Amino acid sequence: MEMQLSMVVLEVRDVTRSVEFYRTLGLAMPDPRTDRPVSILRMSSGVSLVLTEDFASTNDPTWSRPTGGYQQLMEFFAGEDAEVDAMWEKLTAAGYEGRMAPTQTQGPYAAMVDDPDGNVVLLTSDEPARISNKDNA
């Protein structure tokens, strides 16, 4: 069996606040579950985004929340450069921390915004990130 990426799990401080951010980004995040603080969205790519307040802290007694920097980027394909610009404006106007304004990098046209927990969201018009691209299938 081929190994597949199934989900990205983010350990967040406030699942409701994180749901609001990812909805502003354009994802159809469901309301958190009533029986525990988690929201799960299965995207058309087949990968699920999981926002949870207590998975790591409950299941790994050695876990501690990182205190600085970031360890990953989550890239979201926004389409055209103008859509990257528009999403940057929308998120920063909503009060989310902009890390890198839209710019042409050595690779894609991109912008970076922090979610409420400091996870870095990379917005790009990078064609290889398009789900329908046959090279990514």
Side-chain angles (χ1 to χ4, degrees):
M1 183 174 147
E2 179 185 359
M3 187 66 70
Q4 296 287 318
L5 178 63
S6 173
M7 62 182 60
V8 174
V9 180
L10 298 179
E11 187 80 21
V12 302
R13 289 176 180 86
D14 180 337
V15 72
T16 301
R17 187 166 177 235
S18 293
V19 164
E20 180 182 313
F21 171 85
Y22 287 97
R23 284 179 178 167
T24 303
L25 180 64
L27 301 181
M29 295 301 302
D31 288 334
R33 291 179 46 167
T34 56
D35 60 330
R36 67 181 215 251
V38 65
S39 175
I40 302 170
L41 172 66
R42 185 160 177 92
M43 294 179 275
S44 61
S45 64
V47 175
S48 294
L49 176 60
V50 180
L51 308 174
T52 180
E53 291 178 13
D54 64 0
F55 183 84
S57 59
T58 299
N59 295 288
D60 180 356
T62 67
W63 181 82
S64 64
R65 189 175 298 282
T67 58
Y70 57 91
Q71 297 181 52
Q72 73 283 327
L73 297 169
M74 290 188 300
E75 182 176 357
F76 287 88
F77 177 72
E80 304 298 321
D81 294 356
E83 293 176 63
V84 172
D85 294 339
M87 186 55 67
W88 163 266
E89 290 298 325
K90 181 178 182 178
L91 291 169
T92 57
Y96 299 107
E97 185 69 30
R99 185 171 288 272
M100 181 184 82
T103 189
Q104 181 62 55
T105 68
Q106 290 179 348
Y109 185 78
M112 292 191 294
V113 178
D114 287 358
D115 79 0
D117 291 279
N119 297 303
V120 178
V121 172
L122 177 64
L123 306 166
T124 75
S125 58
D126 189 19
E127 191 60 29
R130 182 187 297 269
I131 295 299
S132 62
N133 187 311
K134 291 181 183 183
D135 294 336
N136 287 338

